[in-house]
Amino acid sequence: MQIEVVKSKIHRVKVTGADLNYIGSITIDEDLMDAANIIRGEKVQIVNNNNGERLETYAIPGPRNSGELTLNGAAARKVAVGDVLILITYARMDIEEAKTFNPALVFPNEETNLLT
């Protein structure tokens, strides 16, 4: 049997942009993606702490050490610049592997979205 477990989490990052006219996705500072073990195109669940919205899209890397976190396309309607988000990815694995798996948990600076 396989179950779905948290693979990675970026906790409490601020939205820096919302681009309605871009073709879908969330742009994430590539340093944050690396720290959380998120790859280009990976499905990401987005939880908006400000308004309770939850949505899914896919990740695209933004400039390193920029703190960028931009919701693109229709997802831009679900956020406002400055909203605080939690980003979560999941992985499927067998139950025995899941018992010992450790997700990548990232807690960036809440003001800058940077790792330092």
Side-chain angles (χ1 to χ4, degrees), residues 3-108:
I3 61 171
E4 199 166 305
V5 298
V6 173
K7 177 182 137 300
S8 54
K9 177 178 168 183
I10 302 174
H11 191 74
R12 297 188 60 84
V13 286
K14 283 189 180 177
V15 174
T16 61
D19 186 353
L20 184 61
N21 295 311
Y22 190 88
I23 303 171
S25 71
I26 182 171
T27 304
I28 306 169
D29 178 324
E30 195 166 6
D31 287 339
L32 291 175
M33 288 179 63
D34 288 348
N37 196 26
I38 297 172
I39 64 168
R40 175 191 305 264
E42 186 170 356
K43 183 166 84 171
V44 178
Q45 181 183 39
I46 301 163
V47 179
N48 188 326
N49 284 356
N50 291 80
N51 63 20
E53 290 281 356
R54 289 176 173 256
L55 62 117
E56 293 178 342
T57 189
Y58 59 93
I60 60 172
R64 289 189 180 277
N65 201 38
S66 66
E68 181 175 357
L69 191 79
T70 301
L71 275 289
N72 303 303
R77 294 198 183 272
K78 303 289 189 176
V79 300
V81 171
D83 281 359
V84 175
L85 308 180
I86 298 170
L87 310 179
I88 308 164
T89 65
Y90 300 89
R92 293 175 201 260
M93 58 189 71
D94 70 64
I95 197 161
E96 290 307 313
E97 181 182 7
K99 288 178 182 179
T100 60
F101 178 77
N102 291 312
L105 306 176
V106 178
F107 299 89

